[in-house]
Short mmCIF file of all heavy atoms in Angstrom, two decimals:
data_model
loop_
_atom_site.label_atom_id
_atom_site.label_comp_id
_atom_site.label_asym_id
_atom_site.label_seq_id
_atom_site.Cartn_x
_atom_site.Cartn_y
_atom_site.Cartn_z
N LEU A 76 -7.98 -11.56 5.26
CA LEU A 76 -8.85 -12.69 5.14
C LEU A 76 -8.66 -13.69 6.36
O LEU A 76 -7.49 -13.98 6.70
CB LEU A 76 -8.61 -13.48 3.88
CG LEU A 76 -9.45 -14.61 3.46
CD1 LEU A 76 -10.87 -14.20 3.39
CD2 LEU A 76 -8.90 -15.44 2.34
N GLY A 92 -6.86 -18.74 11.71
CA GLY A 92 -7.99 -19.52 12.07
C GLY A 92 -7.87 -21.00 12.11
O GLY A 92 -8.93 -21.73 12.54
N THR A 97 -14.15 -22.34 12.27
CA THR A 97 -14.93 -23.22 11.14
C THR A 97 -15.96 -22.30 10.34
O THR A 97 -16.79 -21.62 11.08
CB THR A 97 -15.66 -24.28 11.83
OG1 THR A 97 -14.70 -25.04 12.56
CG2 THR A 97 -16.28 -25.23 10.73
N ASP A 118 -7.59 -11.83 18.75
CA ASP A 118 -8.65 -12.04 17.74
C ASP A 118 -9.57 -10.82 17.78
O ASP A 118 -10.70 -10.68 17.02
CB ASP A 118 -9.52 -13.31 18.16
CG ASP A 118 -8.73 -14.49 17.98
OD1 ASP A 118 -8.00 -14.65 16.97
OD2 ASP A 118 -8.83 -15.43 18.76
N SER A 128 -20.25 -12.17 -6.16
CA SER A 128 -21.30 -12.80 -7.04
C SER A 128 -20.86 -12.34 -8.55
O SER A 128 -20.88 -11.30 -8.91
CB SER A 128 -22.67 -12.07 -6.70
OG SER A 128 -23.58 -12.40 -7.71
N THR A 141 -14.72 -8.46 20.61
CA THR A 141 -13.67 -8.10 21.62
C THR A 141 -13.51 -9.22 22.49
O THR A 141 -14.42 -9.76 23.14
CB THR A 141 -14.30 -6.81 22.44
OG1 THR A 141 -14.56 -5.76 21.54
CG2 THR A 141 -13.28 -6.42 23.51
#
Side-chain angles (χ1 to χ4, degrees):
L76 178 67
T97 303
D118 294 317
S128 173
T141 301

